[in-house]
Amino acid sequence: MFNLILFGPPGSGKGTQSEKLISKYGLKHLSTGDLLRSEIAGQTPLGLAAKSFMDKGQLVPDEVVIEMISSALDNNPQAYGFLFDGFPRTTAQAEALDKLLSQKGTSIAVVLALQVGQNELVKRLLNRGLTSGRSDDTKEDVILARLIEYEKKTAAVADHYKKYDKVVYVKGEGSIDEIFDDLSSAIDKRSRA
Ligand code: ADP
């Protein structure tokens, strides 16, 4: 299997690049944000519990997203590999993911970390809010709360994978195609290694 994490702050382009990467590399896309939004749309108990956190720009509790990812892995036994988008977002989630993958005899091959400046992130998220229908993109205070959560809890995930020399930084500003080319060459280098 070939499993990768697309990592970076809210608004760094993970969703856009994920779509292109899964079609180029034949990976199964697992976005916890998308999975949570579909639970909310289906008005499931999990969705209702998650919504109150998401509306405030806070992370959903670890056990909720870990369980969701665990089922998604079990439901896709035939996948060639997974692209994790928006997960793991805490060190506890990273440790849980490593364990789940190792139980399946596999691991994370590479963590691609998109780097984008704070002003650009806020600009992109507000802009996305005009068309995305996502209420967490329309309010500047919720956007700032998400960026603070990222610094406080999620940035440490890169340190976790740095210990295993799995992190590659990619500049997330420039054209979508330029960024995609940089991500692709980082993957090609790692999958040959
Ligand atoms: P963005 O990266 O733009 O913030 P996402 O769609 O990845 O958007 O996530 C939206 C919201 O869903 C987050 O602000 C958070 O509340 C929740 N969420 C998504 N993934 C996770 C996760 N792995 N752990 C906890 N909460 C999550």
Side-chain angles (χ1 to χ4, degrees):
M1 285 183 95
F2 185 80
N3 305 300
L4 71 90
I5 295 173
L6 192 55
F7 184 76
S12 56
K14 300 186 296 289
T16 306
Q17 296 295 337
S18 290
E19 291 305 325
K20 295 171 73 73
L21 291 169
I22 55 166
S23 85
K24 176 163 181 179
Y25 293 98
L27 302 171
K28 170 79 189 162
H29 186 195
L30 291 184
S31 156
T32 41
D34 289 349
L35 291 169
L36 289 167
R37 281 184 289 276
S38 95
E39 296 280 345
I40 291 174
Q43 300 192 324
T44 66
L46 192 158
L48 294 176
K51 188 175 186 313
S52 57
F53 294 97
M54 292 167 75
D55 284 347
K56 285 184 266 186
Q58 293 169 0
L59 293 185
V60 171
D62 285 336
E63 54 279 14
V64 174
V65 284
I66 291 167
E67 183 51 39
M68 221 170 52
I69 285 289
S70 171
S71 320
L73 294 179
D74 289 342
N75 291 338
N76 289 282
Q78 73 302 346
Y80 158 71
F82 294 96
L83 186 162
F84 297 94
D85 162 6
F87 181 88
R89 259 179 155 96
T90 62
T91 306
Q93 291 178 22
E95 284 164 355
L97 177 63
D98 293 348
K99 201 163 149 200
L100 287 169
L101 292 176
S102 96
Q103 283 162 0
K104 296 187 186 299
T106 184
S107 63
I108 292 294
V110 62
V111 178
L112 300 172
L114 287 168
Q115 295 190 292
V116 177
Q118 174 111 357
N119 292 343
E120 174 71 14
L121 293 174
V122 176
K123 213 168 72 190
R124 286 186 190 179
L125 290 167
L126 284 171
N127 203 29
R128 187 168 81 185
L130 299 175
T131 55
S132 68
R134 279 180 55 174
S135 59
D136 61 344
D137 286 342
T138 50
K139 302 187 191 95
E140 195 152 356
D141 58 332
V142 177
I143 290 177
L144 292 178
R146 279 152 66 202
L147 294 172
I148 291 167
E149 282 282 78
Y150 176 83
E151 287 305 329
K152 220 166 62 182
K153 298 177 182 164
T154 306
V157 170
D159 301 328
H160 171 83
Y161 287 105
K162 262 190 237 166
K163 284 191 290 199
Y164 309 103
D165 198 23
K166 291 190 173 173
V167 182
V168 179
Y169 288 95
V170 173
K171 188 169 150 233
E173 297 187 48
S175 77
I176 290 175
D177 286 336
E178 275 163 7
I179 299 165
F180 179 61
D181 287 346
D182 289 348
L183 291 169
S184 298
S185 40
I187 292 173
D188 295 342
K189 266 187 215 141
R190 285 284 163 144
S191 55
R192 269 187 267 113

